[in-house]
Amino acid sequence: MPDVPVSVQQAIHTLKRRESDPLCAYVYDLPGLRDRIRGIVECLPAGCEMFYAAKANPALPVLGALAPFVRGFEVASGGELNWVRRHFPETPVIFGGPGKLVSDLEAAIDQNVERIHVESLLELRHLCDIADRKQIHQDILLRINLELPDTPSTRLTMGGVPTPFGMEEACIPDALALLARQNRVRLRGFHFHLMSHQLDEKCHIALIRHYLESVRAWETTYSLDLAEINVGGGIGINYIQPDRQFDWPGFCAGLDELLQTHSDRAWNIRFECGRFITAPCGFYVSEVLDVKRCGEEWFAVCRGGTHHFRTPAAQAHNHPFEVLPAAGTTTESPGVEGNPVTLVGQLCTPKDVFARRVHVDSLGVGDQVVFHYAGAYAWNISHQAFLMHPHPNEVFIE
Ligand SMILES: Cc1ncc(COP(=O)(O)O)c(C=O)c1O
């Protein structure tokens, strides 16, 4: 696991000096995020572009750090659309996600969204009506839930099996017929986001190979000539074995090879990644309030909880962490040494657990537990109002 960066440790010490209550904070390493996104984008083969899926972490400093490096932002609701458009009016936006309201589609057209990823035939009909009414053009991709013959799946699948996401392949002829009856909504290509938490580069290449071959087959069957394929996001973070992360350079080299086998086509391949980009830049810091033993088990009660940091509960995993020892603890402060301990928060529910029965060399009251990979699907997916605890501090290191 990477060490907690020195700048993050310094920010924690500064906060600790400032706060009278035990600490609880999110700290984001923006220079680290910039380095990461620069490296990710630089590796991409020719013809590929990276969008950032705002749902992973839509905080303005995070979007601001990413905007100069990515091709644009992917939004998945009217709320995200308005947020991103208001603060980054010049940045290209693509709009996906299920259950779009007619008012969302109107807003997307009015706000000059570059692509709408259409999820169903009904959504396509709504869009054609709106574009006709407004006498305006809109470019789209059709989101297809592909059958996956033998590509291994991950633990969070949005496709390859029956799901509410996108349309099944059998809908393509109806969608094309609908599009052929009008000339305002233009089909640019296809969109796929079949799984998240992908940790295996070779499996992801196999998945993308399947997308490309499917699009080629549809082009032949339906006499299409399309330039664009959005291959979604879904690159995972290995929370359980942090030393074994997705090999992005290796994946990009494999993708380059794959694209060489389709070199007769000038495809534009788009990614819309979230977790893989921002998870490593965020740290959730939670001070140990109490340590106690109950039967054979040790518990450390920490400031905050899953109402701030739902990621471990949402993923049902032990979240990786590091302990920054308190400066000067008294001998009366309870602690645990060399025993498995369960790290919990302040909520009155046994589900408020960050990590269960994990080994610590030493953990005591006043120590800071720093959870890694808290920069994506963390604060923004948490049930922040529960129990009316105060919100954590938020520090964006520049
Ligand atoms: C359509 C779509 N695109 C992109 C993403 C981003 O996925 P990830 O954060 O796993 O890269 C999601 C996540 O659910 C999604 O549903």
Side-chain angles (χ1 to χ4, degrees), residues 53 55 74 143 158 191 193 196 233-235 272-275 377:
K55 64 174 81 64
E74 186 254 1
R143 180 176 181 180
M158 286 81 167
H191 175 280
H193 175 85
S196 284
I235 311 296
E272 47 184 39
C273 293
R275 187 185 310 272
Y377 305 106

Side-chain angles (χ1 to χ4, degrees), residues 52-56 74 76 96-98 117 119 143 156 158 165 191-193 195-198 230 232-236 271-277 376-377:
Y52 171 62
K55 64 174 81 64
E74 186 254 1
H117 303 157
E119 291 264 336
R143 180 176 181 180
L156 190 62
M158 286 81 167
F165 306 113
H191 175 280
F192 308 93
H193 175 85
M195 53 191 77
S196 284
H197 296 298
Q198 179 65 270
N230 185 316
I235 311 296
F271 288 82
E272 47 184 39
C273 293
R275 187 185 310 272
F276 188 67
I277 294 175
Y377 305 106

